[in-house]
Structure formats: C-alpha cells, structure tokens
Amino acid sequence: MAVAAKELPACPVETTLTLISDKWKVLILRDLMPGTKRFGELKKSIGNVSQKVLTAQLRQMEESGLLTRKVYPEVPPRVEYTLTGLGYSLKPVLDAMWNWGEEYKAKNGA
C-alpha cells in the first residue's frame, strides 16, 4: 500500500521508516542494489522469508515507487525486479547501516 504524501509523517526519519521499516524490505534493497533479480533469486538470497511475505513486500515497494516489476509473457512466467532511481537513492542509508553494523560487531566481538 503506497503512502500518499499527505499521510506521511512530518519527521523525515519517520517517513523513511514508513517506507522501509520491514526487515525484508531492507534486505530486498540490499540485494537489488547490484542490479535486477528474479523472484527466485531474491527469495534464495534473502533466506527465511515465505513466498507470500516476499510477494507482499515487493508489491508494497513497487507501490511506493522503490522498485519496478517486469513480467515476461512466458510459461512459466518470469518476473524481474529492479530498483528505481528512488530505490537507488537509499544506497547511502544502507551503506551507513552496513558501516554501523561492522563497527558494532568489531567493538562487541560478534
């Protein structure tokens, strides 16, 4: 479900969280940063996510304008997902999360 601009929170941090707050959405972004992936590739790279949940998350991200979905008229159907410019614009956010996680693990012996 896309969030209309008038429904977005006043706080920019909260707006970002509204769009990518689910753990799976962040992992989808991470896995699509290098380029286009098929549904099966995403499911395999993400891990313990059900097909139903992954499908729902991908649809929400498509509605929010973070990625595009391309369906090829083949049997069996082939579906590919690609980040939009808006989706790619989250790269600095993911990079900051990566760096913070690395520092945390280094300091806490994880």
Side-chain angles (χ1 to χ4, degrees), residues 32-53:
L32 288 178
M33 281 295 163
T36 300
K37 280 196 168 47
R38 293 176 67 174
F39 183 88
E41 293 174 309
L42 279 172
K43 185 162 180 353
K44 186 176 180 181
S45 67
I46 290 171
N48 296 327
V49 61
S50 71
Q51 183 169 331
K52 179 182 177 181
V53 169

Side-chain angles (χ1 to χ4, degrees), residues 45-81:
S45 67
I46 290 171
N48 296 327
V49 61
S50 71
Q51 183 169 331
K52 179 182 177 181
V53 169
L54 180 57
T55 298
Q57 298 296 295
L58 288 165
R59 288 195 177 141
Q60 288 174 9
M61 293 174 74
E62 184 180 12
E63 290 173 16
S64 297
L66 297 176
L67 58 81
T68 59
R69 175 179 182 260
K70 183 170 183 182
V71 181
Y72 292 87
E74 302 172 355
V75 176
R78 176 169 52 121
V79 181
E80 293 181 341
Y81 296 90

Side-chain angles (χ1 to χ4, degrees), residues 76-93:
R78 176 169 52 121
V79 181
E80 293 181 341
Y81 296 90
T82 307
L83 291 179
T84 62
L86 183 63
Y88 278 114
S89 73
L90 286 162
K91 185 173 183 349
V93 175

